[in-house]
Amino acid sequence: MAPTLPANRAASAGDTGRMSDIPARPAHYDLDSLLAVAVGVFNERGYDGTSMEDLARASGITKSSFYHHIEGKEQLLRLALERALAGLFAVTAETGAGSGRAIDRLEYVLRREVAVLADELPYVALLLRIRGNTGTEQWALEQRRTFDRFVSGLVAEAAADGDLRSDVDPALVARLIFGMINSMVEWLRPDRHRAGEIADAVVRIGLDGLRP
Amino acid sequence: MAPTLPANRAASAGDTGRMSDIPARPAHYDLDSLLAVAVGVFNERGYDGTSMEDLARASGITKSSFYHHIEGKEQLLRLALERALAGLFAVTAETGAGSGRAIDRLEYVLRREVAVLADELPYVALLLRIRGNTGTEQWALEQRRTFDRFVSGLVAEAAADGDLRSDVDPALVARLIFGMINSMVEWLRPDRHRAGEIADAVVRIGLDGLRP
DNA sequence: GTCTATATGTTGATAGAC
DNA sequence: GTCTATCAACATATAGAC
């Protein structure tokens, strides 16, 4: 599912024999592989701080060749944000609206969101950093707010059930706990951390300490 | 994109005495007031997404006039980041190195950091969003890492004292709890939320749930 | 599909009149 | 201290050869 990341150099004239450490330049490029490269650079330098020249260089081809495969810079952003949002909304779809106690559905959502964040890390990281400068970004921010309302409602429901301590505002709890989860994008390295372990820690910090 | 219109141009040449009319535009500009405006726009659009034209328009003067007061765009970023970091490091200085139990010093740092974040909100928000594109940003990121090591050490110390449950990695706890605090910059409105109340919630979520 | 060359707009920053 | 006018560099994106 996840396209592999080429990440090699242009090597205009003499690409000498370092082919063993550095993955060889792919035989051909498609939108998905270039998207993966672009999202990586977007996360390093920020979307606005990334030029098409940066993306071309990171892909190992020229700007012109890069444009052969894509419509423009904003298309890359849109595809990345759509992918991140698809992951988040898959969680809300799984959870449904009213089966089981809210506190249990909340724990499920917490764990699943940690998993989505780990699985789609660069895409979600990008989503969490946009500021609304373009129409695409404004649309994505509105989608994020919809997701935030969903989880916030879940926390409120669990509080109404008496399954969360009553001396903290549920809306505040929702913001802090999901802020805690979202902050993972700043340091998570999927090759060095296990999502399940982090989800356990999140539940222990966020829920075990809040249960009455 | 954004509608442009200064709308409050003062009389230029013959204006000798009357400076009481228009409140929107200050009688004079200095670096601090322009910095406040700039940081506000930086946080709306991102540093790289903000042009000097944006800053001039938000200040009600032209780009040229704006440049009369500042050295350049990066100076504004540097001043803002210095102010944010001064706030953070004031907390580490207050806390000292070894008076009292680590868990108590940790709680103190949590509460003080929430307060600093609320007091210097736009400056800290900017600090938490930089990506390291310029020398100034790289310096600030290194300072942030120093601060992170300080709080991470405090958590590890409290864990070693047996004052935190032992089934969660202290380094992970530090990242999650301070990620929770840092996420405040995404939604905090100092006129609508009270920092003390938020600090209470952070301690309840983060510590009361972790104490053995 | 890739390249070189270029069109066209925006950027940070400056010159110089008033 | 403010303005208009402008620069050189860099931005996104395209043309057209191979």
Side-chain angles (χ1 to χ4, degrees):
Chain A
M1 173 89 180
T4 51
L5 199 143
N8 62 347
R9 308 273 337 286
S12 38
D15 190 73
T16 58
R18 297 208 313 274
M19 297 276 206
S20 43
D21 336 281
I22 300 173
R25 190 160 134 184
H28 68 285
Y29 296 95
D30 58 9
L31 191 49
D32 264 7
S33 64
L34 291 179
L35 177 62
V37 173
V39 170
V41 184
F42 287 162
N43 276 315
E44 267 181 45
R45 299 167 140 65
Y47 176 72
D48 286 313
T50 301
S51 71
M52 296 303 292
E53 179 64 39
D54 291 331
L55 297 183
R57 192 165 39 236
S59 306
I61 56 181
T62 62
K63 220 169 26 162
S64 260
S65 303
F66 199 92
Y67 268 107
H68 182 76
H69 301 277
I70 66 157
E71 295 166 15
K73 189 183 175 185
E74 196 171 355
Q75 182 199 22
L76 294 168
L77 181 62
R78 180 174 51 80
L79 291 172
L81 297 180
E82 281 171 355
R83 178 159 166 175
L85 286 164
L88 292 187
F89 280 104
V91 175
T92 73
E94 291 165 23
T95 312
S99 56
R101 287 187 85 80
I103 186 74
D104 297 326
R105 280 178 283 143
L106 177 59
E107 177 169 341
Y108 178 80
V109 168
L110 291 182
R111 291 182 182 279
R112 285 288 298 132
E113 196 188 336
V114 171
V116 167
L117 201 145
D119 287 343
E120 308 281 4
L121 183 61
Y123 303 91
V124 179
L126 198 56
L127 174 67
L128 295 178
R129 284 171 189 148
I130 57 171
R131 308 300 304 159
N133 289 343
T134 66
T136 298
E137 292 178 67
Q138 284 164 22
W139 165 82
L141 285 178
E142 183 51 46
Q143 299 294 112
R144 262 194 69 188
R145 279 190 283 271
T146 299
F147 181 81
D148 289 347
R149 277 191 293 270
F150 171 81
V151 298
S152 184
L154 216 45
V155 174
E157 212 181 320
D161 289 347
D163 289 328
L164 290 180
R165 57 193 284 178
S166 54
D167 58 350
V168 199
D169 175 25
L172 184 53
V173 168
R175 282 177 159 152
L176 289 173
I177 291 184
F178 283 89
M180 177 167 66
I181 293 178
N182 288 341
S183 74
M184 284 171 52
V185 302
E186 299 296 332
W187 51 266
L188 186 72
R189 299 287 175 276
D191 54 329
R192 299 215 313 247
H193 305 101
R194 276 196 300 276
E197 192 181 329
I198 295 167
D200 287 342
V202 166
V203 168
R204 280 182 186 130
I205 295 174
L207 290 191
D208 294 349
L210 279 176
R211 290 188 159 111
Chain B
M1 213 175 258
T4 132
L5 197 45
N8 62 345
R9 290 273 332 115
S12 41
D15 187 342
T16 49
R18 243 167 30 104
M19 49 184 63
S20 58
D21 266 338
I22 297 158
R25 184 170 163 186
H28 68 284
Y29 297 95
D30 58 10
L31 191 49
D32 264 6
S33 64
L34 292 179
L35 176 62
V37 173
V39 170
V41 183
F42 287 162
N43 276 315
E44 266 181 49
R45 297 168 150 58
Y47 176 72
D48 286 313
T50 300
S51 71
M52 295 304 291
E53 181 63 39
D54 291 331
L55 297 184
R57 192 164 40 237
S59 308
I61 55 180
T62 63
K63 212 167 38 158
S64 262
S65 302
F66 199 91
Y67 268 106
H68 182 77
H69 301 278
I70 65 156
E71 293 167 17
K73 191 183 176 186
E74 197 172 354
Q75 182 200 22
L76 294 168
L77 181 63
R78 180 173 51 79
L79 291 172
L81 298 179
E82 282 171 355
R83 177 158 166 175
L85 287 165
L88 292 187
F89 281 104
V91 175
T92 72
E94 290 164 24
T95 312
S99 55
R101 288 188 84 78
I103 185 74
D104 297 325
R105 279 178 283 142
L106 176 59
E107 178 171 341
Y108 178 80
V109 168
L110 292 182
R111 291 183 182 278
R112 284 290 297 133
E113 195 187 338
V114 171
V116 167
L117 201 145
D119 288 342
E120 308 281 5
L121 182 60
Y123 303 92
V124 178
L126 198 57
L127 174 67
L128 295 177
R129 284 171 189 150
I130 56 171
R131 308 301 304 160
N133 289 343
T134 65
T136 298
E137 292 178 66
Q138 284 165 21
W139 165 81
L141 286 178
E142 184 51 47
Q143 298 295 111
R144 262 194 69 187
R145 278 190 285 271
T146 299
F147 181 80
D148 289 347
R149 277 191 294 271
F150 171 80
V151 297
S152 185
L154 216 44
V155 174
E157 213 181 321
D161 290 347
D163 289 328
L164 291 179
R165 56 193 285 177
S166 55
D167 58 350
V168 199
D169 174 25
L172 183 53
V173 169
R175 281 176 160 151
L176 289 173
I177 292 186
F178 283 89
M180 178 167 65
I181 293 178
N182 288 341
S183 73
M184 286 172 50
V185 303
E186 298 297 332
W187 51 265
L188 186 71
R189 299 287 176 276
D191 54 327
R192 299 212 317 244
H193 305 100
R194 275 196 301 277
E197 193 181 327
I198 295 166
D200 286 343
V202 166
V203 168
R204 280 182 186 129
I205 295 174
L207 289 190
D208 295 349
L210 279 176
R211 289 189 158 110

